[in-house]
Structure formats: C-alpha cells, structure tokens
Amino acid sequence: PTGSVSFWYRPSDNNDGMLFDATTVANLPFFLMKTGQRLRLVVTDTTGASVVATTTTNNIPQNNWRHIAASWYMQSGTNQ
C-alpha cells in the first residue's frame, strides 16, 4: 500500500497517546502514536507485513502547534 497523512497537532499535556488509529482489522495495525518524545508510525498490508518507523527524540512542547506528516510505500507482502 501507499499513502500519506498530514495534520496539525497541539498537545495539552506531555502524556503518551494515540494520535490516530485507523486500524480496521485486529491483526493489521495502522496507527501513529506519541511515546515519550518520539512518534511511532505502524503500517500493515493485507498479508500482515508491517513497517514501523520511529522518529529520533524530539521536543514536543505543550500548547504549541506542530505539523506532522508521513508517507509510505510498501511492496505487497513485504516489510519494505
């Protein structure tokens, strides 16, 4: 699958959390979450192959807007 997501984010606290979860099948996750000072994107194709991308540590201060964008391309059935 190929795709992209782009949005503005303004955290009201420093807690970890799900920024979006578009998972429609239990074993095929598709989400972006904040864990600590990192963002983690997980994209899974219909065969169950997943790609996980995690940012380096970034300061994501409270009450400040940040633009977040990600794009991906996976060959069907691979984790590339």
Side-chain angles (χ1 to χ4, degrees), residues 13 15 21-22 31 35 43 45 53 56 59:
D13 56 43
N15 296 332
D21 186 348
F31 64 84
T35 75
V43 178
D45 71 11
T56 58
N59 183 21

Side-chain angles (χ1 to χ4, degrees), residues 2-79:
T2 62
S4 64
V5 61
S6 175
F7 61 95
W8 287 92
Y9 173 60
R10 182 178 180 254
S12 60
D13 56 43
N14 287 322
N15 296 332
D16 294 350
M18 193 67 66
L19 301 185
F20 79 78
D21 186 348
T23 302
T24 58
V25 177
N27 296 334
L28 304 176
F30 174 41
F31 64 84
L32 177 68
M33 67 184 301
K34 177 181 171 278
T35 75
Q37 294 297 313
R38 296 174 187 255
L39 299 176
R40 182 172 181 238
L41 174 70
V42 177
V43 178
T44 307
D45 71 11
T46 57
T47 68
S50 294
V51 170
V52 178
T54 304
T55 64
T56 58
T57 301
N58 290 294
N59 183 21
I60 305 172
Q62 290 177 265
N63 300 313
N64 287 301
W65 288 100
R66 294 287 186 246
H67 185 253
I68 298 172
S71 61
W72 59 91
Y73 169 79
M74 291 176 61
Q75 293 180 2
S76 184
T78 71
N79 61 352

